[in-house]
Amino acid sequence: MATAIQTRTIDEALREPPRSGPVGWALNAWNFCRRKPLGGLGALIVVLMLFAAVFVDGSLFGIDEPLLAPQHYDDQTFGEENLDPSSDHILGTDQFGRDIFSRILYGARISVIIGLGVVLIAGVLSLMIGTISGYFSGWADTIIQRIVDVFLAIPPLILLIYGLSVFAGTAGPYTRMFWIITIVGVVVTASSIRVIRGSAIATANNPYVDAARTLGASNARIVFRHIVPNVIPVVIVLSSVQLGTAILAEAAISFLGLGIPEPFPSWGTMLSINGSSQFRAYPMQAVWPGLAVAIAVWGFNMFGDALRDVLDPRLRGSR
């Protein structure tokens, strides 16, 4: 008796529960890219940026030599100032004879460090404060939200300029990077608390929270067992979008001269020096770092939007 061979379409196979291990990760990644092509392109940009940040040179591995970058970010070649793109210098050189492509790759490391530091601070603070404000409500919620209103009423750029002028006016590059991460993280936290608070309120009104409270569960147990796990996906989505915001904020600060000083290759600093002093004579020197900022911010935003659609059950079926 002949047996019929059952065939399955790709869509049916992708509906199966995800497998564990590398095969499952690859299948989930393919499914994500198939359903969210722009999100997949954004994820590719994010991965390439992280790869460039780690392997631009060997300093993280105890090797003081460039790996991906053709030259060190501060190597100057006299007689090769303001060169056009060529086989030796893919994006040309700046007014000091430094390779622009190498400096953009090193700038990716600075942007990644600042972006990850900002979203770490903003994620932890907004999760703590937003959960407390949304779950306990009452006077605690009122006080927290009035403080948030004060922060939101002041333009973010004014807060950044004032904070850096006060705390990092004469600081060195690493100290200034610390203050940039801290101040931008606090500013981003103010805009995230409202979102986390709303998610915490919605979760606290679910029947299983009332059931846990009826069974005698303490507030601490309810918060850590039921509220926080349901709020964390919102924090992850916010963090993925805020990475682009942090990179853009650092570029704006550096463009105004309050960022990481030379010779460290921040994208905003490259825009400030090249764009203001040499834009008319050598416009492409300002285009390359500006394009790097635009692509990085676009990639993080597209990846964050797609991640939101995947993690939010209400948007899971959208395209």
Side-chain angles (χ1 to χ4, degrees):
M1 178 176 172
T3 58
I5 299 177
Q6 299 294 332
T7 60
R8 299 180 301 171
T9 64
I10 296 178
D11 289 338
E12 291 173 345
L14 291 175
R15 292 193 193 103
E16 291 182 350
R19 303 175 185 176
S20 59
V23 175
W25 299 338
L27 185 61
N28 290 335
W30 162 250
N31 194 17
F32 176 81
C33 295
R34 185 182 65 88
R35 293 197 299 133
K36 304 291 180 183
L38 288 179
L41 181 58
L44 178 62
I45 293 174
V46 172
V47 171
L48 291 177
M49 189 172 176
L50 293 174
F51 183 81
V54 174
F55 296 102
V56 62
D57 64 12
S59 59
L60 297 179
F61 312 100
I63 304 173
D64 191 20
E65 293 291 337
L67 296 179
L68 292 178
Q71 298 178 4
H72 195 261
Y73 66 85
D74 200 29
D75 286 347
Q76 300 182 23
T77 305
F78 297 100
E80 295 187 358
E81 296 85 359
N82 300 317
L83 294 181
D84 293 328
S86 64
S87 58
D88 294 330
H89 304 283
I90 299 176
L91 302 182
T93 60
D94 63 7
Q95 69 269 38
F96 299 109
R98 299 174 299 192
D99 185 69
I100 295 178
F101 179 66
S102 299
R103 290 177 61 80
I104 287 179
L105 289 179
Y106 277 97
R109 171 175 290 178
I110 293 177
S111 296
V112 167
I113 292 174
I114 292 178
L116 292 179
V118 166
V119 299
L120 180 62
I121 292 175
V124 172
L125 290 180
S126 61
L127 178 62
M128 293 171 53
I129 300 173
T131 301
I132 293 173
S133 178
Y135 177 75
F136 292 99
S137 64
W139 61 269
D141 183 33
T142 302
I143 294 175
I144 291 173
Q145 293 310 309
R146 296 299 75 79
I147 296 175
V148 171
D149 288 338
V150 172
F151 274 94
L152 295 179
I154 304 174
L157 189 58
I158 301 299
L159 285 175
L160 295 177
I161 293 175
Y162 175 77
L164 291 174
S165 299
V166 171
F167 296 105
T170 59
Y174 296 105
T175 304
R176 184 170 294 188
M177 180 183 293
F178 167 79
W179 281 113
I180 290 174
I181 293 173
T182 302
I183 296 172
V184 176
V186 171
V187 172
V188 172
T189 299
S191 61
S192 303
I193 288 176
R194 289 276 177 88
V195 180
I196 304 302
R197 171 181 175 269
S199 180
I201 291 175
T203 305
N205 290 328
N206 285 323
Y208 58 81
V209 175
D210 294 333
R213 190 179 293 111
T214 302
L215 292 174
S218 63
N219 287 329
R221 179 177 176 82
I222 293 174
V223 167
F224 288 104
R225 186 70 180 270
H226 300 290
I227 306 298
V228 171
N230 286 281
V231 172
I232 284 180
V234 180
V235 176
I236 294 174
V237 173
L238 281 176
S239 298
S240 63
V241 176
Q242 288 167 349
L243 272 167
T245 303
I247 293 173
L248 196 60
E250 184 275 330
I253 293 169
S254 298
F255 181 79
L256 295 174
L258 296 173
I260 301 172
E262 283 281 342
F264 293 91
S266 166
W267 290 341
T269 303
M270 295 172 68
L271 275 171
S272 177
I273 293 176
N274 297 334
S276 61
S277 63
Q278 299 202 146
F279 183 75
R280 293 183 180 275
Y282 306 99
M284 294 306 295
Q285 291 185 12
V287 170
W288 300 126
L291 191 61
V293 173
I295 291 175
V297 173
W298 185 86
F300 280 111
N301 286 341
M302 290 299 102
F303 177 63
D305 289 343
L307 198 62
R308 177 201 61 189
D309 296 345
V310 171
L311 294 179
D312 192 337
R314 295 169 298 178
L315 303 174
R316 195 165 291 169
S318 64
R319 289 187 178 272

